[in-house]
Amino acid sequence: MPTRSDQLAEYRRKRDFARTREPRGATGRRTATRLAYVIQRHEATRLHFDLRLELDGVMKSWAVPKGPSLDPAVKRLAIEVEDHPIDYNSFEGTIPAGEYGGGTVMLWDRGTYTYAGDSDEPLAALRDGYRKGDFKFELRGKRLRGSWVLVRTRRSGRKNQWLLIKHRDERADPDVDPVEKYRTSVTTGRTMAQIAAGTKPRRRRR
Ligand code: MN
């Protein structure tokens, strides 16, 4: 298995940490019983939503151009990108123009996730699902909950293309578009414009 700093080599190669305030990424061991989940709304060259799910010490990451849908009939393209460090989960701010991913990043949802299914070894089931390109997970976020699947597509022959699909469960809702419903930061309440302007976060509501 690759070491954690190997896993983050591509992430680091793409960035100049003298210029961007994104985290360099800690490589210390972490014994998490709950796996971290985050979605960042990223207004880069093109707007997209970065879905990140912790696995084996890094955040597996997918760029979802249209963001998540709660409609089980909808399949959203998800492009797998390089693994990100776990401390990226608290990053909200602006990446300087001209740098990799230059633009504004909002923490759009965060929480934890588990394997969505019955297994005596949920972590092994997650690893297996990831490897096979059939990754079933249940979100416990502030905004998104319930079961989802990421399915790797074979059609294009491009290994990094997946589809993000909501499972049919009590959290499915074809009538609600979460991208429209939630327009502000899940942690600071700021709009994209306020984040871009560097407006100080308000105290969080209870
Ligand atoms: Mn991004």
Side-chain angles (χ1 to χ4, degrees):
M1 199 179 270
T3 68
R4 200 145 313 161
S5 50
D6 289 343
Q7 282 178 282
L8 293 176
E10 184 182 355
Y11 171 86
R12 293 194 178 120
R13 185 171 49 72
K14 286 178 168 172
R15 292 168 175 80
D16 179 355
F17 295 100
R19 300 183 65 87
T20 180
R21 285 160 59 201
E22 296 165 284
R24 199 167 185 288
T27 52
R29 279 233 167 261
R30 189 180 132 106
T31 50
T33 49
R34 320 188 81 191
L35 296 169
Y37 144 70
V38 71
I39 293 179
Q40 282 149 323
R41 184 186 162 111
H42 186 184
E43 233 166 70
T45 313
R46 288 185 188 167
L47 174 68
H48 59 273
F49 292 74
D50 288 301
L51 166 64
R52 308 190 200 283
L53 298 165
E54 178 184 358
L55 193 63
D56 290 323
V58 294
M59 299 303 290
K60 296 291 172 192
S61 296
W62 291 262
V64 184
K66 292 185 177 175
S69 168
L70 301 180
D71 184 347
V74 170
K75 299 174 169 69
R76 287 281 156 89
L77 178 65
I79 314 286
E80 188 175 11
V81 298
E82 76 274 17
D83 296 341
H84 277 52
I86 288 172
D87 47 4
Y88 207 89
N89 295 354
S90 52
F91 179 74
E92 179 171 277
T94 298
I95 301 168
E99 296 304 305
Y100 180 74
T104 303
V105 176
M106 168 194 281
L107 283 163
W108 187 81
D109 194 21
R110 67 188 301 187
T112 59
Y113 83 100
T114 56
Y115 176 63
D118 286 323
S119 174
D120 293 338
E121 299 196 51
L123 190 55
L126 284 170
R127 286 183 184 128
D128 207 42
Y130 175 77
R131 191 171 43 77
K132 288 179 178 164
D134 182 20
F135 193 78
K136 296 182 173 72
F137 58 98
E138 183 174 341
L139 295 181
R140 295 173 189 172
K142 287 230 161 79
R143 293 172 174 174
L144 300 189
R145 296 195 155 235
S147 298
W148 304 70
V149 65
L150 276 160
V151 183
R152 194 187 282 122
T153 67
R154 293 163 191 277
R155 202 175 40 186
S156 65
R158 289 181 59 182
K159 281 170 92 177
N160 64 343
Q161 290 201 3
W162 300 62
L163 296 171
L164 174 66
I165 308 163
K166 181 76 195 74
H167 274 151
R168 293 179 198 281
D169 62 14
E170 67 279 8
R171 298 291 180 170
D173 189 349
D175 297 326
V176 171
D177 178 0
V179 169
E180 283 300 315
K181 183 176 177 183
Y182 302 112
R183 311 283 302 178
T184 56
S185 165
V186 72
T187 56
T188 64
R190 293 181 297 175
T191 63
M192 291 299 279
Q194 288 170 328
I195 296 166
T199 307
K200 285 234 170 75
R202 280 196 195 155
R203 220 173 248 185
R204 289 181 61 185
R205 284 173 298 170
R206 297 270 158 191

Coordinates of all heavy atoms in Angstrom, one line a residue, residues 42 48 50 52, ligand 1:
H42 N -16.9 25.0 -5.4 CA -15.7 25.6 -5.9 C -15.9 26.4 -7.2 O -16.2 25.8 -8.3 CB -14.7 24.5 -6.1 CG -13.3 24.9 -6.5 ND1 -12.3 24.0 -6.8 CD2 -12.8 26.2 -6.6 CE1 -11.2 24.7 -7.1 NE2 -11.4 26.0 -7.0
H48 N -18.0 23.9 -9.8 CA -18.3 22.5 -9.6 C -18.3 22.3 -8.1 O -18.1 23.2 -7.3 CB -17.2 21.6 -10.2 CG -15.8 22.0 -9.7 ND1 -15.0 22.9 -10.2 CD2 -15.1 21.5 -8.6 CE1 -13.9 23.0 -9.6 NE2 -13.9 22.1 -8.6
D50 N -16.9 19.7 -5.1 CA -15.9 18.7 -4.8 C -16.4 17.8 -3.7 O -16.5 18.3 -2.5 CB -14.6 19.4 -4.4 CG -13.9 20.0 -5.6 OD1 -13.6 19.3 -6.6 OD2 -13.7 21.2 -5.6
R52 N -15.7 14.8 -1.2 CA -14.5 14.2 -0.7 C -15.0 13.2 0.4 O -15.7 13.5 1.3 CB -13.6 15.2 -0.1 CG -13.2 16.3 -1.1 CD -12.1 17.2 -0.6 NE -12.0 18.5 -1.3 CZ -11.6 18.6 -2.5 NH1 -11.1 17.6 -3.2 NH2 -11.6 19.8 -3.0
Ligands
MN1 MN -12.3 21.8 -7.2

